[in-house]
Amino acid sequence: MKKEILSILFSCSLMVISCGQKESKKDEHVSAPAYEEEQVNLEPVNDSITSVVLLSDDNMRYDQSEIKVQAGKLVKLTLKHIGKMPKTAMGHNFVLLKKGIDPADFGAEVAQGQGPEYKLSKEASLKTIASTKMIGGGESVTIEFMAPEKGQYNYLCSFPGHYSQMKGVLIVE
């Protein structure tokens, strides 16, 4: 009788453990970035326009740390926030800095002056080539700008504290 009870308990505990393992694998898959599903990064619309889709998420990151475009061509950039958190908690934007502007200095400067809408100040805007508004989870925003002269230009998210992780380089060829 004791062997049967122990056997039943052992079987039940194996079922519980295996169910727990299946659940954790499912959670692992859910927490993986959804970037693989949306590989629509650069798509030429015509000879003079380059479309770029940049994804951001609730883990404070962009899906691309490097974007390549052609000098003098129109760039149509769409920023998609694939997370769920609102912009007041985990807002993201795209800010393309002029050459020579240090991303860390810029990020620290704008973090001091942003209000509830997270708009760049007039002084900060003078240090940028292009920027989007701040968006929250499930939102997207599209901007158009002319690619500057050949070179490398830093981009970042100006939400307070995000610039250290959410950054990249626009390479203009």
Side-chain angles (χ1 to χ4, degrees):
M1 181 73 167
K2 284 186 179 183
K3 283 187 177 183
E4 291 175 345
I5 292 174
L6 288 175
S7 176
I8 291 171
L9 286 173
F10 180 74
S11 296
C12 289
S13 64
L14 283 178
M15 288 190 327
V16 168
I17 290 171
S18 68
C19 288
Q21 287 176 346
K22 285 179 187 173
E23 190 65 36
S24 79
K25 283 184 183 176
K26 183 177 179 184
D27 288 344
E28 274 181 33
H29 180 64
V30 171
S31 67
Y35 303 139
E36 293 89 340
E37 298 172 15
E38 295 201 38
Q39 290 297 321
V40 194
N41 299 333
L42 293 173
E43 170 189 319
V45 176
N46 64 37
D47 288 347
S48 62
I49 301 174
T50 301
S51 288
V52 177
V53 177
L54 182 64
L55 304 178
S56 61
D57 61 23
D58 287 341
N59 294 318
M60 281 185 10
R61 57 185 180 180
Y62 293 127
D63 70 324
Q64 300 173 69
S65 60
E66 186 177 282
I67 300 171
K68 292 183 180 180
V69 298
Q70 295 297 309
K73 292 200 176 182
L74 184 65
V75 178
K76 183 178 180 181
L77 182 132
T78 300
L79 175 66
K80 291 184 180 181
H81 190 322
I82 60 172
K84 297 184 190 290
M85 296 176 77
K87 79 176 175 184
T88 54
M90 190 56 68
H92 300 312
N93 66 351
F94 169 88
V95 180
L96 181 60
L97 301 176
K98 290 182 178 178
K99 265 189 182 174
I101 303 299
D102 182 78
D105 291 343
F106 182 86
E109 174 189 332
V110 296
Q112 302 300 318
Q114 293 184 339
E117 287 300 311
Y118 302 102
K119 291 182 181 180
L120 294 177
S121 70
K122 198 176 241 183
E123 297 81 26
S125 293
L126 294 173
K127 298 175 183 178
T128 69
I129 295 169
S131 65
T132 66
K133 68 178 186 172
M134 195 70 64
I135 58 172
E139 297 179 325
S140 67
V141 61
T142 299
I143 58 169
E144 293 181 349
F145 61 93
M146 292 301 290
E149 65 184 36
K150 291 181 179 184
Q152 294 188 0
Y153 300 83
N154 292 303
Y155 64 84
L156 54 81
C157 173
S158 69
F159 190 92
H162 289 196
Y163 66 89
S164 64
Q165 289 182 306
M166 294 187 74
K167 59 187 174 186
V169 177
L170 179 79
I171 299 171
V172 183
E173 300 173 326

